Structure formats: structure tokens, C-alpha cells
Amino acid sequence: MGNLLEVKNLSISFTQYVEGLNRHDLKVISDLTIDVDEAEIVAILGSSGSGKSLLAHSILGILPYNSHVTGEIKYKGNVLTQELKEELRGKEICLIPQSVNFLDPLMKVSEQAIGECKDEKEHDEKKIKQREIFARYGLDESVDDLYPFELSGGMARKVLLSTALINDPNLLIADEPTPGLDSQSVKETIEDIKNLKQQGKGVLLITHEIDVALKTADRIAIFYSGYVIEINTVENFINQENLLHPYTKVLIDALPRNGFNFAEGVQPLDVVEGCPYYENCPIRSDKCRNEKPELIEHEGIMIRCFNFKEANDES
Ligand SMILES: Nc1ncnc2c1ncn2[C@@H]1O[C@H](COP(=O)(O)OP(=O)(O)O)[C@@H](O)[C@H]1O
Ligand SMILES: [Mg+2]
């Protein structure tokens, strides 16, 4: 088994012009490091607006023109240049986009799911696959000839999902694939994602639904204020005593009350000097105010905190 995807120290910011010529840099993702192995599902859990879709778009090479990116993304050990991203996109690396605006309004949905083919033979083969996947998601034959504007929101989501799955990606980036789906289709989606893993493929599952992450992923990364603050195994999320970051603990403790939905808290987006969780942290020390902890490895767990050891020793 090897690393399929490696994201190292990725930062994404936007240059904004406020009141004419005043330039302002809005940093959305800071120093993000994460990897996905073959036959592995890694979930990224973060509240809305935390930069999850931007992460997906940076891997696919479809960031907006006004974004500024630093850091490195590798696929199978090779640096993903814009050129390589475009070559692999929709083939080896597929995206289930969060927004249904990714559908082409002028193209029948079955044809966009099938995508470009080199000849008629390939088209016929993919047509069979498209019908089979659509049927599995409850989209009957009458849907094939519809245009996106004729679909309900749920149907559009299923078309996006099918489009990614038809291409048998080696790496799937699923950006919030389940909201708006009926429970049967959520189950089906989770099954399909797990099937990819069984076939040795890698999946980066972006979600704010911890329930979906727990049911699907091998590892879960927690996003806070643009930083990955912890990457831990799903077993530890279920048993909890091996969770390390104070924010992760608060998050998991709060879950039954939140109906197992990710809390929509206010997270500072202004660039802070110290730890992004400083203001809310029960185990903070003076060091945390002025110095930013790095993401370090501790017994196979990735953690961004100076004081987690002391906190765990006490309990
Ligand atoms: N084109 C853009 N220009 C400026 N800021 C943007 C742009 N796109 C996204 N952002 C900023 O990045 C933040 C994160 O966006 P996004 O990745 O869509 O969050 P998420 O998917 O986690 O909900 C947004 O809240 C917004 O402030
Ligand atoms: Mg998003």
C-alpha cells in the first residue's frame, strides 16, 4: 500500500480589494497536511465556510482565478502540476462536487455522466454502466434524456454522484455527497464509496456530517479555522479516550445534543499569531498565545497542540 494523495503545507488565500485600492489577504486554508493511502477512506470534517470545497478544488485544479496557493500536492508520488491535474481530472481523479452548478445546463444528464469517449464501443459500454448506476440510485430511464433544469435537487446530486462513479476513479474526492439525499440513497452512496476502497482505491470524503464520516472513513481529519488540528482513526472517534485535541473532545461530547451534526460555531478567520483555538481552549498556556503549534505525529495520531500530553496525563 502506498500514498495515493499527499497534501503538504497547503495554504489558500484570496486577495481582496476593499474600498478601492486597499489590498487585503483573506487566508482560508493554512498549512494543511493530509494524505490518503490506497484502499483508504479519509474524511475531512469541518463546519461550513471552513475551506473544504477549496481543498477539493485545489486538488482538481479548478480554484478561482483570484486565489493564491502555496504548498504541495502529490499524486502517486508525483507533484500535481496544473497540467497533470487537467490530464487526470475526470479519469483517475474524480470529484463529486458539492454544487449542482457543476452540471452542464445544455447537455442531457445521461450524456454528461457518460462523458467523453474515444469511440462508439466505449460509449456503448459506458452507457450500460450509466444505466446500471442510475437505476441503483432510483433514476429510471425517463431521467436519461432530461436536462439539469428538469431535475429536483436530490436527482441532480445523484447524477453528479453517478458521473464520478462511472469513470472508476483511482482517487475520489467526494465534496459533501450526501446532504439532500433520501436515506436509501445515503446508504447506497456509503456502500459505493466503501466498494471503491475494497477495490484498492482512495477516497477523500469531505463532510460536515460526523455520522457519515464514522460509518465510512478509516481516518478522520478535523478542520478548525482553516487548520487541520487532529487526524485520528475512526476507532478512536468511537472510543474517544484517545482523542487528543481539546476542540475534538468538545465536538464529540456535544454530538448527541446536536443530533450528530457538526456544530456550526464561529471560528476565527483572521490570521492569529498563536494557536487558532487559543480563545476557547481549556488547557492553553502562555506559549499558545504567541506561537503556532505544528501538526506533529504522536503514536500514529496527527495533532496540532502544545499541551495535549499534560491534559491526557492528568485524566
Ligand atoms: N472566489 C472567492 N473569493 C474570495 N473568497 C472566497 C472565494 N471562494 C471561497 N472564498 C472564501 O473561502 C471560504 C471557504 O469556502 P469553501 O471552501 O466553499 O467552504 P466549505 O466548503 O468548507 O463550506 C468562504 O467562506 C469564503 O470566505
Ligand atoms: Mg463546501
Side-chain angles (χ1 to χ4, degrees), residues 51-106:
K52 302 186 299 301
S53 292
L54 291 172
L55 168 66
H57 296 172
S58 67
I59 297 166
L60 273 293
I62 50 172
L63 280 175
Y65 71 96
N66 61 335
S67 58
H68 180 67
V69 183
T70 60
E72 190 175 73
I73 304 176
K74 281 185 178 173
Y75 173 71
K76 288 185 173 173
N78 299 313
V79 173
L80 268 181
T81 57
Q82 185 62 23
E83 202 181 7
L84 190 55
K85 285 174 187 175
E86 283 166 21
E87 195 183 311
L88 300 176
R89 186 160 77 209
K91 299 180 187 101
E92 273 197 52
I93 306 179
C94 286
L95 170 72
I96 302 175
Q98 178 178 15
S99 163
V100 296
N101 295 336
F102 277 75
L103 289 170
D104 181 342
L106 302 176

Side-chain angles (χ1 to χ4, degrees), residues 278 283-290 306-307:
Y278 178 79
I283 57 164
R284 66 186 173 193
S285 55
D286 280 347
K287 187 179 184 184
C288 313
R289 189 207 318 253
N290 307 316
F306 292 124
N307 300 328

Side-chain angles (χ1 to χ4, degrees), residues 198-217:
Q198 296 305 331
Q199 297 162 34
K201 317 290 176 74
V203 180
L204 185 65
L205 174 67
I206 293 171
T207 182
H208 65 268
E209 294 174 296
I210 188 144
D211 210 24
V212 172
L214 289 175
K215 279 188 193 139
T216 321

Side-chain angles (χ1 to χ4, degrees), residues 106-112 114 127 130-131 134 139-151 159:
L106 302 176
M107 206 177 182
K108 285 180 182 172
V109 294
S110 59
E111 286 309 314
Q112 18 195 326
I114 291 168
K127 174 71 203 169
Q130 171 263 319
R131 188 82 291 285
F134 270 34
L139 303 173
D140 65 40
E141 264 171 77
S142 68
V143 177
D144 288 7
D145 288 336
L146 298 182
Y147 289 89
F149 78 92
E150 298 174 286
L151 304 177
V159 169

Side-chain angles (χ1 to χ4, degrees), residues 128-138 162 165-166 192:
I128 294 168
K129 219 167 151 192
Q130 171 263 319
R131 188 82 291 285
E132 183 251 326
I133 296 181
F134 270 34
R136 221 152 14 94
Y137 282 96
S162 308
L165 295 172
I166 281 168
D192 278 338

Side-chain angles (χ1 to χ4, degrees), residues 2-70:
N3 270 152
L4 207 51
L5 177 74
E6 294 165 82
V7 179
K8 273 217 178 76
N9 309 113
L10 182 80
S11 296
I12 302 177
S13 61
F14 290 99
T15 304
Q16 295 182 321
Y17 291 89
V18 208
E19 294 169 12
L21 294 173
N22 277 334
R23 262 184 65 161
H24 174 75
D25 276 336
L26 175 75
K27 203 164 190 186
V28 182
I29 291 181
S30 305
D31 193 26
L32 181 140
T33 295
I34 196 163
D35 60 283
V36 180
D37 276 357
E38 286 169 4
E40 188 186 36
I41 302 170
V42 176
I44 289 213
L45 207 55
S47 60
S48 129
S50 61
K52 302 186 299 301
S53 292
L54 291 172
L55 168 66
H57 296 172
S58 67
I59 297 166
L60 273 293
I62 50 172
L63 280 175
Y65 71 96
N66 61 335
S67 58
H68 180 67
V69 183
T70 60

